C-alpha cells in the first residue's frame, strides 16, 4: 500500500496530465438511479489523503484502517463507521471481484468528506440489478456497495475514464448544537493545575517550507529569542524531539497534518530545553498559501491547550440508575476492542495517559511462564521490539521484576533491570504483573524520561488497572491462540497437499518458498546438501518484493552458509544481519566520498544496497531440513530491520520444514530414479542411423507411458559387410520396462548374428531360441528383418523376413502401394520355425515403409486405422523424401484419434534416391 497526505489546498488529479479525458458518466439502460449527484460540488477541499491497494484479499482490511485513521485524524469521528462500511464494500469490488488495484482518495471539506474508490477495470459493468430499494440477499457476491451508497451516503456517483472506473460518495457532518463543547466540575483552589504568575501562550506560525514566519512576544519571553533571530529558520532547528508519546510522528510530519496536539521540547537561547505542550492547526491565507499556527505553553501548563478527552456516558463509574459499571470498561473504554492486538494497544495507551508517562509497554507470558513476549508498546520503537522475548528469571539482561510490582526510580543506577528499555532514554519505570488465578500471564509497565517520576502510589494505581484487565487479556489471548491453531492446521493441510502434488525438485523448492513468504516471513532462502561430503548450496531465494531478490541472493552468496545441524527447532543466524549492516555502512561511506574514489560512480548502486540491507537486517532463523535421518538442507527465514519472529510462527515453520524436507527428498529420489531409468533406456536405442549411399533412411519413434523413452517397439539400421546393411523393426508383447528388456536382447542379438554371415531366416531362428531360453521372462515378438544392398544402377536389392509383423508397404513412383513381403510365424512361441526370405527390388524413387502395430491399430471408438488406412495415407506421399513420408504418416496417426496413443509406435521409411 502506498499513501500520501497533503493537508490544505485543492487536491491534484492523481491521473497523468497528458491525455486526461473528461470524466464520462455512464448510465446503463434501465439503471437511471445509479448516480445520485444532483447538486454541484462547490465545497472547498481542505485536506486530502490517498492510498493504493494491491489486488489481494488483505487489502480490504488495510483500506478500512486507512480510512478510519484518516478520518480520526481529521476529527470526523461521527461519520467514521459509515465511511468504513462503504469503503470496505467498494474496495472489495475492486480488489476481489474486479481483480485490480484499488485507489482510495479521501477529500475533506468544511462540512463533510468525499471518498473516491477507483479500480482499473473500466469495462466491468456496475454490479447492480433492479431497484435500489431492494437490497437483495446479504449473501450476494456483488452489488451491495452501490446499494449501501444509495442508502447511507448523502450523495454518490459513478464516473468512467478509458482506464478507470470510479465510485465516489459523500458523507456530510451532522449538525452539532452550539454550546458547551467540554466542561469540568468546580474544584477547590488546591486541586487546580499549577501555573506561573502569568501564563504565556507562544504563537508561532510556520510556512509551507517549515520555516518560522511569525513569533509573538510570549514566544520571545518563553524561549529568549527575538523575532528577527528566528524568522526564516526551520522550527526543526529549535525542536528537541523525541516524538510525542504514543505516536511515531516526527516534527516535520506533525507540521503537515491538518491538526495536531502533543508535547515536545524547544531549545531556548540559553541552550536549555523547555518542555512545551503544543496545539497545531493547519490553515491557508486568502491567497491559498498553507501554513501552520502553533500555540505553545509550558508543559506543566498543558491544561490551557489540552483538549479534554470525551468520555462516553458508559465510561462513568455509575449509570443514571445508580448502578456501577464494569471497572474494566472504565479503564479501557466502551466498546472494548474485540481483537487482542487492539485490546493490548488500548491498554498501553490508557496506562500511559493514566500516569502521564512518556511510554508504556505490555508483555505476555509464554505457556511455561519462563519468557515474556513484547506484544504492545507506545512511545517506544515498537517495530524493533514487537515479539521480542526476554527471560523472566533474575540475572543480567533478564526481566527480574515480572512477578510482582516494581518501581525503578533511575534505570541508570540499575542498568539492564528492564531490558526492553535499554537505549530508549527512559529513566524511571513502574511495572506490574498481570495474573489470572495466581498464574503470571503478562506484565504491564509505564516509563518516563525523567528520573524519580514514580512511587509506590503509582504502582498501586497501575496494579489496580492491571487486575481489571488481566482476565480480559488472557481470554483474548486464548481466543487468538485457538484461531492461530486452526489457521495453522489449515495451512499445514494445504501445504501438504501442494508438496505432495509434485515430484519435481525445482518446483518443490519454489513451493517451499512461496508458502513461507509472506505468511511466515518477509523473505526466505533454501539451502540444499547433495550428500554428506558436500557444502550447503544456496538453491532458492524469495522476498515479498521481487525487486530485492537479486540483492538478497548476492548478499547471501558472500556469507558462509549456516552449519547443517540436525537439531530440531529454529536457531538464530546472525551472519546475514551483520553482512547487511556492513554493506549498508560501506554504501553510506561511498556515498559520502570517504573511500577516496569518485562518488558518482557508486551512487547508482547505493539505493539497492541499502534497500537490501534493510530487508535482511532483522532477525534471521534457520530450520534444518531432515529427511530419513539425514540433513538434506536448511530453510532460512528472515524479517526486515528490527523485527522479530513470534514463537507460534516459528513452531508453524518447524512443522512446515519437516513436511517440506520429506517432499524435497522424495523429489530428489524421483529425479535420481528418472535419470537412471532414462540413461538405461537410451542405451537400448541405436546410437545413430548409418549413411547409406543412394538410400534415404528416416525413423520416428514414440514410446507409450510417462517418462518412458523405450518400450516394447524397437528399430535398428546397421552395416553388415561388403556394402550390405541390415534393418529391423519389431514389437515385443506389452509395454514398459519388461518389454524393453526383451527389446535390448533382440536388437543386440540381431547385430551379432547378422555380422556372423548368417542368412535372414537363420538369424531369426537363433533369436527365437534365445527368447525361449528366457523362460518365464520370455515374451513373444513380431519382427521384420531384412538386408539391403544398393546396386550400381541406382536400385536397391532387399531380402526380407516378416515374422508375424505388419507387412512392409512399397510405394512406387506411379502412386501404387503393395505389400513387400508375406506373413510368417512370430518369434518366442514355437521352438521349431521354418522361415524363408523374400527378395524385393526397389527402383529409384520407390519407398519402403515399415511400421509397428501401434500405427495400424490406432483407434477412435470402434474405428481403426488398419492396413488399408495406412496404405491410403501412403499413396499421398509420392515424390516426398523419406523424412517427409515418415512425418506425414505420424501426423495422420495422431489426427486419427483425439486421445493420446496407448501403444508404442515406430515408423521406418527408406527411399531409393
Amino acid at each position: 500500500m502506498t499513501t500520501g497526505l497533503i493537508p490544505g489546498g485543492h487536491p491534484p488529479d492523481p491521473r497523468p496530465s497528458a491525455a486526461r479525458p473528461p470524466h464520462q458518466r455512464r448510465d446503463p439502460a434501465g439503471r437511471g438511479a445509479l448516480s445520485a449527484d444532483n447538486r454541484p460540488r462547490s465545497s472547498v477541499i481542505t485536506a486530502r489523503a490517498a492510498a493504493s491497494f494491491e489486488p489481494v484479499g488483505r487489502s480490504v482490511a488495510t483500506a478500512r484502517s486507512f480510512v478510519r485513521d484518516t478520518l480520526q485524524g481529521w476529527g470526523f469521528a461521527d461519520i467514521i463507521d459509515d465511511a468504513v462500511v462503504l469503503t470496505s464494500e467498494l474496495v472489495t469490488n475492486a480488489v476481489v471481484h474486479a481483480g485490480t488495484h484499488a485507489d482510495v482518495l479521501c477529500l475533506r471539506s468544511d462540512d463533510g468528506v468525499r471518498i473516491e474508490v477507483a479500480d482499473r477495470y473500466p469495462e466491468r459493468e456496475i454490479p447492480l440489478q433492479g431497484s435500489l430499494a431492494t437490497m437483495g440477499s446479504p449473501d450476494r457476491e456483488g452489488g451491495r456497495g452501490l446499494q449501501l451508497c444509495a442508502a447511507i451516503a448523502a450523495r454518490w456517483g459513478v464516473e468512467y475514464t478509458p482506464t478507470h472506473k470510479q465510485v465516489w460518495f459523500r458523507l456530510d457532518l451532522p449538525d452539532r448544537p452550539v454550546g458547551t463543547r467540554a466542561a469540568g466540575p468546580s474544584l477547590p483552589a488546591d486541586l487546580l493545575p499549577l501555573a506561573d504568575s502569568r501564563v504565556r501562550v507562544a504563537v508561532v506560525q510556520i510556512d509551507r517550507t517549515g520555516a518560522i514566519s511569525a513569533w509573538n512576544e510570549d514566544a520571545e519571553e518563553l524561549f529568549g529569542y527575538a523575532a528577527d533571530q528566528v524568522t526564516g529558520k526551520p522550527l526543526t532547528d529549535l525542536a528537541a524531539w523525541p516524538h510525542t508519546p504514543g505516536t511515531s510522528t516526527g516534527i516535520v510530519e506533525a507540521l503537515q497534518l491538518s491538526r495536531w496536539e502533543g508535547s515536545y521540547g524547544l531549545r531556548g537561547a540559553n541552550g536549555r530545553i523547555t518542555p512545551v505542550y503544543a496545539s497545531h492547526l493547519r490553515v491557508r491565507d486568502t491567497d491559498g498559501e498553507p501554513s501552520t499556527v502553533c500555540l505553545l505553553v509550558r508543559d506543566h501548563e498543558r491544561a490551557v491547550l489540552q483538549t479534554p478527552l470525551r468520555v462516553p456516558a458508559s465510561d462513568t463509574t455509575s449509570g443514571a440508575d445508580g448502578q456501577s459499571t464494569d471497572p474494566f470498561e472504565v479503564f479501557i473504554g466502551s466498546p472494548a476492542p474485540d481483537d487482542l492486538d487492539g485490546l493490548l494497544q488500548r491498554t498501553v495507551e490508557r496506562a500511559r495517559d493514566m500516569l502521564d508517562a512518556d511510554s508504556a509497554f505490555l508483555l505476555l507470558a509464554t505457556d511455561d511462564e519462563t519468557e515474556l513476549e513484547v506484544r504492545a508498546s507506545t512511545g517506544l520503537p515498537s517495530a524493533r521490539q514487537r515479539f521480542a522475548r526476554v527471560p523472566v528469571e533474575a540475572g543480567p539482561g533478564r526481566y527480574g521484576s515480572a512477578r510482582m510490582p516494581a518501581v525503578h526510580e533511575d534505570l541508570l543506577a540499575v542498568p539492564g533491570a528492564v531490558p526492553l528499555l535499554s537505549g530508549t532514554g527512559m529513566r524511571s519505570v513502574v511495572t506490574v504483573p498481570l495474573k489470572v488465578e495466581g498464574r503470571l500471564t503478562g506484565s504491564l509497565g509505564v516509563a518516563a524520561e525523567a528520573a524519580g517520576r514514580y512511587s509506590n502510589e503509582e504502582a498501586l494505581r497501575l496494579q489496580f488497572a492491571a487486575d481489571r484487565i488481566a482476565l480480559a487479556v488472557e481470554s483474548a489471548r486464548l481466543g487468538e491462540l485457538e484461531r492461530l491453531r486452526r489457521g495453522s492446521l489449515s495451512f499445514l493441510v494445504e501445504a501438504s497437499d501442494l508438496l505432495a502434488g509434485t515430484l519435481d525438485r525445482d518446483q518443490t523448492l519454489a513451493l517451499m518458498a512461496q508458502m513461507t513468504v509472506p505468511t511466515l516471513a518477509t523473505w526466505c532462502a533454501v539451502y540444499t546438501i547433495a550428500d554428506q561430503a558436500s557444502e550447503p548450496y544456496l538453491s532458492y531465494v524469495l522476498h515479498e518484493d521481487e525487486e530485492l531478490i537479486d540483492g538478497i541472493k548476492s548478499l547471501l552468496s558472500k556469507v558462509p552458509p549456516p552449519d547443517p545441524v540436525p537439531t530440531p527447532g529454529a536457531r538464530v543466524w546472525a551472519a546475514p544481519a551483520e553482512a547487511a549492516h556492513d554493506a549498508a555502512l560501506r554504501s553510506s561511506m561511498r556515498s559520502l566520498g570517504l573511500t577516496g574514489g569518485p562518488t558518482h560512480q557508486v551512487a547508482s548502486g547505493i539505493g539497492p544496497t541499502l534497500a537490501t540491507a534493510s530487508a535482511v537486517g532483522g532477525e534471521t532463523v534457520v530450520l534444518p531440513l531432515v529427511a530419513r535421518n539425514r540433513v538434506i538442507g536448511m530453510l532460512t527465514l528472515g524479517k526486515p530491520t528490527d523485527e522479530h519472529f513470534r514463537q507460534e510462527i516459528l513452531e508453524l515453520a518447524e512443522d512446515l520444514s519437516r513436511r517440506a524436507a520429506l517432499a524435497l527428498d522424495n523429489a530428489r529420489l524421483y529425479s535420481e530414479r528418472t535419470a537412471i531409468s532414462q540413461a538405461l533406456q537410451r542405451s537400448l536405442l541405436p546410437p545413430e542411423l548409418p549413411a547409406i549411399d543412394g538410400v534415404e533412411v528416416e525413423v520416428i519413434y514414440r514410446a507409450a507411458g510417462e517418462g518412458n523413452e523405450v518400450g516394447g517397439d524397437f528399430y535398428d539400421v546397421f552395416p553388415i559387410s561388403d556394402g550390405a546393411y541390415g534393418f529391423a523393426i519389431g514389437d515385443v508383447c506389452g509395454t514398459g520396462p519388461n518389454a524393453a528388456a526383451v527389446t535390448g536382447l533382440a536388437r543386440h542379438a540381431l547385430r551379432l548374428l547378422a555380422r556372423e554371415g548368417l542368412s535372414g531366416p537363420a538369424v531369426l531362428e537363433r533369436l527365437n531360441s534365445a527368447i525361449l531360453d528366457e523362460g518365464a521372462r520370455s515374451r513373444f515378438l513380431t519382427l521384420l528383418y531384412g538386408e539391403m544392398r544398393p546396386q550400381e544402377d541406382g536400385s536397391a536389392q532387399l531380402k526380407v523376413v516378416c515374422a508375424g509383423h505388419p507387412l512392409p508397404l512399397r510405394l512406387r513412383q506411379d502412386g501404387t502401394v503393395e505389400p513387400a513381403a508375406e506373413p510368417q510365424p512370430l518369434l518366442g512361441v514355437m521352438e521349431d520355425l521354418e522361415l524363408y526370405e523374400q527378395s524385393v527390388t526397389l527402383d529409384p524413387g520407390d519407398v519402403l515403409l515399415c511400421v509397428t502395430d501401434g500405427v495400424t491399430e490406432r483407434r477412435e471408438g470402434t474405428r481403426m486405422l488398419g492396413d488399408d488406412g495406412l496404405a491410403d495415407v501412403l499413396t499421398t506421399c509420392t515424390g516426398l523424401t523419406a523424412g517427409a513420408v515418415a512425418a506425414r504418416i505420424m501426423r495422420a496417426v495422431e489426427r486419427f484419434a483425439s486421445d493420446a496413443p496407448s501403444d508404442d509406435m515406430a515408423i521406418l521409411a527408406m527411399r531409393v534416391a
Side-chain angles (χ1 to χ4, degrees):
M1 182 189 78
T2 57
T3 61
L5 183 63
I6 310 173
H10 293 279
D13 195 323
R15 292 175 288 276
S17 58
R20 184 186 303 155
H23 284 180
Q24 303 169 9
R25 190 158 302 165
R26 183 180 299 176
D27 189 5
R31 301 179 185 176
L34 280 178
S35 177
D37 184 23
N38 299 319
R39 292 179 292 170
R41 298 188 296 274
S42 58
S43 301
V44 176
I45 303 302
T46 58
R48 170 184 180 273
S52 180
F53 302 93
E54 297 179 352
V56 293
R58 62 176 180 272
S59 294
V60 180
T62 310
R64 289 196 296 264
S65 300
F66 164 70
V67 172
R68 182 180 298 278
D69 294 343
T70 299
L71 299 190
Q72 187 73 46
W74 289 347
F76 287 177
D78 296 327
I79 60 175
I80 284 179
D81 292 338
D82 289 345
V84 167
V85 169
L86 296 180
T87 302
S88 178
E89 290 292 334
L90 297 179
V91 172
T92 299
N93 287 342
V95 303
V96 175
H97 301 308
T100 74
H101 283 72
D103 300 324
V104 179
L105 176 64
C106 302
L107 303 175
R108 187 191 69 181
S109 61
D110 296 334
D111 54 351
V113 62
R114 171 186 167 111
I115 297 179
E116 301 175 356
V117 179
D119 64 46
R120 303 172 190 180
Y121 193 175
E123 297 85 358
R124 186 172 186 263
E125 291 294 338
I126 302 172
L128 184 63
Q129 303 290 339
S131 171
L132 291 174
T134 303
M135 293 296 289
S137 170
D139 297 328
R140 288 176 54 189
E141 286 295 323
R144 292 187 300 170
L146 299 182
Q147 291 174 334
L148 288 174
C149 286
I152 297 176
R155 282 176 283 166
W156 65 279
V158 183
E159 298 176 354
Y160 286 87
T161 71
T163 59
H164 290 69
K165 174 171 68 56
Q166 180 188 97
V167 180
W168 63 268
F169 61 87
R170 177 179 174 80
L171 298 173
D172 294 335
L173 291 176
D175 295 332
R176 293 191 177 94
V178 178
T180 302
R181 179 184 179 189
S186 299
L187 294 176
D190 58 347
L191 296 180
L192 296 175
L194 290 175
D196 292 344
S197 57
R198 176 187 172 187
V199 176
R200 298 185 180 274
V201 179
V203 180
V204 182
Q205 192 155 2
I206 311 300
D207 63 20
R208 67 186 309 162
T209 66
I212 299 172
S213 60
W215 184 270
N216 72 344
E217 293 181 358
D218 280 357
E220 295 182 5
E221 291 293 332
L222 285 175
F223 308 116
Y225 296 105
D228 57 356
Q229 291 180 282
V230 295
T231 301
K233 293 184 177 180
L235 181 64
T236 53
D237 289 352
L238 306 179
W241 202 257
H243 50 70
T244 300
T247 72
S248 59
T249 305
I251 184 66
V252 176
E253 291 83 359
L255 293 173
Q256 295 296 319
L257 298 178
S258 59
R259 188 173 188 85
W260 184 87
E261 191 173 316
S263 57
Y264 49 88
L266 283 182
R267 186 174 291 102
N270 57 5
R272 295 181 178 179
I273 295 176
T274 302
V276 297
Y277 192 84
S279 177
H280 297 175
L281 179 65
R282 188 77 164 165
V283 299
R284 59 192 180 95
D285 58 21
T286 55
D287 296 329
E289 189 70 16
S291 62
T292 302
V293 177
C294 306
L295 304 181
L296 310 174
V297 297
R298 293 184 178 92
D299 192 64
H300 64 273
E301 298 170 341
R302 63 169 57 195
V304 176
L305 298 180
Q306 188 171 21
T307 301
L309 294 174
R310 290 186 293 175
V311 180
S314 59
D315 281 359
T316 57
T317 56
S318 60
D321 56 359
Q323 295 181 354
S324 298
T325 54
D326 188 354
F328 167 74
E329 291 189 355
V330 174
F331 182 72
I332 291 297
S334 180
D338 56 0
D339 62 299
L340 178 61
D341 289 337
L343 177 61
L344 299 182
Q345 193 62 35
R346 179 83 65 85
T347 298
V348 296
E349 291 171 355
R350 291 295 176 90
R352 177 205 62 199
D353 295 340
M354 182 179 72
L355 296 186
D356 194 20
D358 295 315
S359 65
F361 53 89
L362 192 149
L363 302 90
L364 293 183
T366 56
D367 293 338
D368 56 4
E369 300 182 22
T370 59
E371 289 183 308
L372 292 171
E373 183 180 62
V374 181
R375 291 300 303 270
S377 65
T378 180
L380 296 174
S382 57
R384 176 171 62 88
Q385 303 291 350
R386 187 168 168 80
F387 300 125
R389 289 194 168 201
V390 292
V392 173
E393 294 81 2
R398 296 175 181 267
Y399 203 101
S401 56
R403 300 186 183 276
M404 58 186 299
V407 177
H408 299 274
E409 296 185 352
D410 192 349
L411 291 177
L412 295 182
V414 189
V418 185
L420 179 65
L421 301 180
S422 299
T424 61
M426 300 297 162
R427 295 283 299 276
S428 55
V429 59
V430 53
T431 61
V432 297
L434 275 67
K435 293 185 177 182
V436 175
E437 298 179 350
R439 182 173 60 86
L440 178 68
T441 61
S443 177
L444 175 64
V446 296
E449 296 177 353
R453 284 280 299 273
Y454 304 116
S455 63
N456 289 337
E457 181 180 352
E458 284 79 12
L460 291 175
R461 290 178 59 196
L462 189 62
Q463 184 66 71
F464 179 80
D467 292 341
R468 303 284 77 74
I469 67 169
L471 185 60
V473 169
E474 180 66 4
S475 177
R477 187 181 75 89
L478 293 176
E480 181 192 62
L481 288 176
E482 180 63 22
R483 287 191 297 272
L484 283 175
R485 289 191 181 99
R486 291 182 178 180
S488 299
L489 289 175
S490 176
F491 173 79
L492 290 174
V493 168
E494 182 179 358
S496 298
D497 289 343
L498 290 173
L499 291 171
T502 179
L503 288 172
D504 181 82
R505 175 183 177 277
D506 293 337
Q507 189 173 0
T508 302
L509 290 173
L511 283 174
M512 290 170 56
Q514 291 166 7
M515 284 185 292
T516 56
V517 176
T519 305
L520 305 181
T522 305
W523 65 272
C524 85
V526 183
Y527 290 84
T528 56
I529 303 174
D531 51 60
Q532 297 294 341
S534 301
E535 290 292 326
Y537 173 74
L538 181 61
S539 299
Y540 202 92
V541 175
L542 183 65
H543 191 281
E544 60 184 7
D545 184 354
E546 293 183 357
E547 295 181 356
L548 298 178
I549 294 177
D550 291 339
I552 295 176
K553 189 180 300 183
S554 175
L555 182 68
L556 293 179
S557 65
K558 301 174 183 177
V559 177
D563 296 330
V565 179
T567 306
R571 68 181 192 275
V572 176
W573 184 30
E578 294 173 356
H581 175 75
D582 293 341
L585 181 60
R586 288 194 301 270
S587 295
S588 300
M589 294 179 65
R590 288 198 302 268
S591 67
L592 298 174
L594 300 180
T595 59
T599 59
H600 68 275
Q601 295 181 359
V602 298
S604 61
I606 292 172
T609 302
L610 294 179
T612 301
S614 176
V616 186
E619 187 176 49
T620 303
V621 297
V622 178
L623 298 103
L625 299 175
V626 181
R628 298 176 176 89
N629 298 322
R630 187 173 73 88
V631 180
I632 63 171
M634 285 87 69
L635 177 63
T636 303
L637 307 180
K639 288 281 190 179
T641 301
D642 297 337
E643 287 197 23
H644 297 266
F645 284 97
R646 297 181 60 177
Q647 184 63 26
E648 293 85 357
I649 296 298
L650 294 179
E651 292 172 357
L652 181 58
E654 185 177 355
D655 287 338
L656 175 64
S657 68
R658 287 195 291 267
R659 290 164 170 79
L662 187 59
L664 185 61
D665 198 47
N666 287 339
R668 177 187 63 82
L669 294 174
Y670 178 77
S671 299
E672 291 178 357
R673 192 202 72 175
T674 301
I676 294 171
S677 174
Q678 291 176 348
L680 292 174
Q681 291 183 62
R682 282 193 294 269
S683 69
L684 300 177
L685 294 174
E688 60 183 6
L689 297 177
I692 304 177
D693 292 338
V695 179
E696 299 173 358
V697 180
E698 184 65 31
V699 174
I700 296 180
Y701 184 84
R702 297 287 189 273
E706 183 180 358
N708 290 333
E709 294 191 15
V710 176
D713 291 4
F714 68 96
Y715 68 92
D716 201 359
V717 180
F718 55 92
I720 300 177
S721 63
D722 300 331
Y725 294 86
F727 64 91
I729 184 169
D731 185 1
V732 179
C733 175
T735 61
N738 292 330
V742 180
T743 295
L745 170 64
R747 192 178 70 81
H748 292 292
L750 280 175
R751 287 199 173 205
L752 291 173
L753 295 172
R755 287 171 178 170
E756 290 295 324
L758 299 176
S759 64
V763 169
L764 267 58
E765 289 169 3
R766 284 166 173 76
L767 176 59
N768 180 62
S769 299
I771 294 174
L772 293 175
D773 288 343
E774 291 293 309
R777 294 182 300 175
S778 66
R779 289 169 175 261
F780 64 80
L781 166 68
T782 67
L783 179 64
L784 172 65
Y785 173 74
E787 295 180 0
M788 174 187 293
R789 290 180 181 271
Q791 303 298 310
E792 294 181 357
D793 59 359
S795 63
Q797 187 69 36
L798 276 64
K799 293 181 180 180
V800 181
V801 181
C802 185
H805 198 78
L807 300 179
L809 298 180
R810 175 182 182 181
L811 173 64
R812 297 181 181 273
Q813 286 185 324
D814 58 3
T816 59
V817 175
E818 61 184 9
E822 296 177 356
Q824 299 183 58
L826 52 75
L827 308 181
V829 178
M830 300 179 294
E831 292 185 1
D832 297 328
L833 289 180
E834 294 183 1
L835 302 175
Y836 59 92
E837 62 185 9
Q838 297 173 268
S839 297
V840 180
T841 300
L842 296 181
D843 297 326
D846 288 355
V847 176
L848 183 70
L849 178 67
C850 309
V851 300
T852 58
D853 60 4
V855 174
T856 56
E857 295 179 3
R858 178 75 162 145
R859 294 180 179 275
E860 174 69 19
T862 59
R863 297 187 306 118
M864 186 173 71
L865 180 62
D867 296 334
D868 294 338
L870 179 62
D872 292 340
V873 177
L874 185 58
T875 58
T876 66
C877 299
T878 304
L880 299 181
T881 63
V885 171
R888 179 168 293 187
I889 298 298
M890 179 56 72
R891 284 197 302 271
V893 172
E894 292 174 342
R895 293 173 180 174
F896 187 79
S898 57
D899 296 337
S902 59
D903 195 5
D904 305 327
M905 291 188 296
I907 300 173
L908 171 61
M910 296 183 292
R911 178 179 179 272
V912 180

